[in-house]
Amino acid sequence: MTGTQIAYYFLCQRKLWFFLRNIDMEHNSDTVALGKFISESTYEREKHEIHITDDEDEIVLDFYDDKTKTIHEVKKSDKMEETHKWQVKFYISVLEKKGVEGVTGEIDYPKLRQKEKVELTNEDRTKLQEIRKEIGNIKNMEIPPDTINKPFCKQCAYYELCYI
Ligand code: SF4
């Protein structure tokens, strides 16, 4: 499982299906490019991106503070706050799996000058197991889930695939 898969799971499961099939059109999206630019430029002076991979999961942490055991995730807007929280909860669970205890998260919104604390509870651990199973089920679907007709579809890299 990856952070992107978690994000798409909450955002749109059709989008997740395309992504799981390696139909990747995100490089065409200006919104994604802006998000990446903010993430990269904000921590330019303390570039500590960390990649962690095992046979189940692959995560990239924007910044990990070893002293306070805090994962920092940089986002440009809090519109998808719930999704961002689950991404960070997932990252905490991966560090736990690696034997790092007592990790918390912080979502930083530099444009809004806001920070959001994130913790992983036992309920969250159970929910993450369910999400993992459901992502596997979506991957095995023969045809993609239906379109969701949300306003943000127009900004989605898969818009043309879905509606034109
Ligand atoms: S355009 Fe809308 S329905 Fe299609 S993948 Fe994107 S978010 Fe999902």
Side-chain angles (χ1 to χ4, degrees):
M1 197 154 73
T2 68
T4 303
Q5 288 174 16
I6 294 263
Y8 290 177
Y9 173 83
F10 283 100
L11 191 69
C12 171
Q13 297 190 354
R14 181 179 172 89
K15 183 167 174 139
L16 174 63
W17 187 89
F18 285 137
F19 184 74
L20 291 169
R21 302 271 161 150
N22 293 322
I23 304 168
D24 183 4
M25 300 175 80
E26 287 289 43
H27 57 277
N28 291 331
S29 163
D30 288 347
T31 313
V32 171
L34 177 60
K36 277 193 179 139
F37 171 75
I38 288 174
S39 175
E40 282 163 14
S41 59
T42 304
Y43 285 106
E44 206 165 5
R45 274 177 300 156
E46 40 184 2
K47 192 79 177 155
H48 297 285
E49 209 172 65
I50 298 170
H51 296 246
I52 300 171
T53 312
D54 61 22
D55 52 1
E56 253 191 337
D57 300 312
E58 186 179 342
I59 62 171
V60 182
L61 306 180
D62 288 343
F63 175 66
Y64 177 68
D65 185 338
D66 203 23
K67 283 188 194 127
T68 60
K69 291 191 173 180
T70 309
I71 293 168
H72 289 268
E73 181 74 4
V74 183
K75 299 291 185 188
K76 72 183 174 72
S77 134
D78 61 356
K79 274 191 201 151
M80 307 286 178
E81 194 179 350
E82 200 56 25
T83 300
H84 299 159
K85 274 190 199 166
W86 278 104
Q87 280 184 305
V88 175
K89 284 174 192 282
F90 166 57
Y91 298 157
I92 295 171
S93 77
V94 171
L95 288 189
E96 265 187 9
K97 191 168 63 170
K98 297 280 175 196
V100 189
E101 298 289 337
V103 177
T104 58
E106 188 175 282
I107 305 167
D108 301 327
Y109 298 102
K111 266 181 97 175
L112 306 173
R113 296 176 192 272
Q114 282 176 16
K115 292 176 193 295
E116 180 80 34
K117 293 271 179 207
V118 183
E119 289 181 355
L120 184 71
T121 65
N122 278 336
E123 272 182 10
D124 296 335
R125 289 182 185 93
T126 307
K127 170 93 176 163
L128 279 170
Q129 286 308 322
E130 286 167 15
I131 292 171
R132 190 182 287 283
K133 210 169 139 196
E134 284 171 20
I135 288 178
N137 292 341
I138 291 165
K139 188 175 185 179
N140 291 331
M141 288 171 77
E142 292 285 320
I143 54 167
D146 288 340
T147 53
I148 56 171
N149 288 305
K150 296 278 185 188
F152 57 76
C153 284
K154 287 202 172 128
Q155 272 95 51
C156 175
Y158 297 102
Y159 181 76
E160 288 187 17
L161 262 181
C162 291
Y163 297 106
I164 295 176

